[in-house]
Amino acid sequence: MYIERSILKRKFNMKINLKSLFCISLAFSSYNSMGLELRPMAGFEDTGPIDYSQAVSCLDYIGANRNDDLAIRNCIIDKPSQEWFFTEWFDGSYRIENGEGGCLDDLYGSKYVGVWGKCHTKSNQKWRLIKNDASSTYLIKSEEGNCLDLGDNGKLYAWKCHGKLNQKWLITDGGYIITDF
């Protein structure tokens, strides 16, 4: 049985002094010191309440080529390749970094999603979490305008957002549902 819980934000503040002319204060929030799991909702019935105990698969970084390096596999708690770290930027978007290194990347118009070895602040590595009203699931939308999409072939894509089950993701922490980002 899953238990819902919220993750409390940890705030970090730092100041950068540019040649004593002025100070810029940057703030970001890290939502987890341990990795979170991303569980696809594809394959569930879109009628009535979802039985989250059936969500036993996780997004896994398998470290192959950039457009074929993500897979859906059985969840193994604390497996680094299935841990995803969310860092909130000042604009409300998130960097999603894998426990093995690299960041989730909407590969610029290719319709593929991959893990890029170098994390940066460009729009193809900025993601927004859009909570679905009727459930504890999220759409994960890139600043490029595409959603994280699980295709019928089991591959991950950056696809036009439509909100169907293959674009809904349950975010968990060691099996506990995250309800509030």
Side-chain angles (χ1 to χ4, degrees), residues 105-170:
D105 196 303
D106 179 347
L107 299 169
Y108 284 127
S110 69
K111 298 295 182 199
Y112 289 103
V113 175
V115 173
W116 192 259
K118 289 189 174 188
C119 298
H120 54 71
T121 59
K122 295 178 183 169
S123 61
N124 60 315
Q125 285 189 5
K126 288 186 172 186
W127 299 86
R128 299 219 177 251
L129 302 176
I130 303 165
K131 187 168 183 178
N132 293 298
D133 294 332
S135 69
S136 296
T137 61
Y138 293 86
L139 292 177
I140 301 174
K141 182 179 180 180
S142 79
E143 290 287 297
E144 295 290 305
N146 299 311
C147 282
L148 187 59
D149 185 291
L150 179 59
D152 291 337
N153 59 2
K155 292 190 181 286
L156 278 292
Y157 296 96
W159 205 255
K160 180 180 176 181
C161 298
H162 51 67
K164 293 181 181 173
L165 282 173
N166 63 316
Q167 290 186 349
K168 291 182 180 179
W169 296 86
L170 186 65

Side-chain angles (χ1 to χ4, degrees), residues 58-81:
C58 288
L59 180 61
D60 197 340
Y61 172 51
I62 56 177
N65 298 319
R66 284 189 304 249
N67 66 346
D68 198 20
D69 58 0
L70 295 169
I72 301 300
R73 297 204 174 141
N74 286 336
C75 295
I76 300 172
I77 304 301
D78 295 330
K79 181 180 180 190
S81 64

Side-chain angles (χ1 to χ4, degrees), residues 35-54:
L36 301 178
E37 303 91 32
L38 296 173
R39 298 173 186 246
M41 293 290 99
F44 285 84
E45 294 295 322
D46 205 8
T47 58
I50 295 173
D51 178 4
Y52 294 119
S53 66
Q54 301 300 310

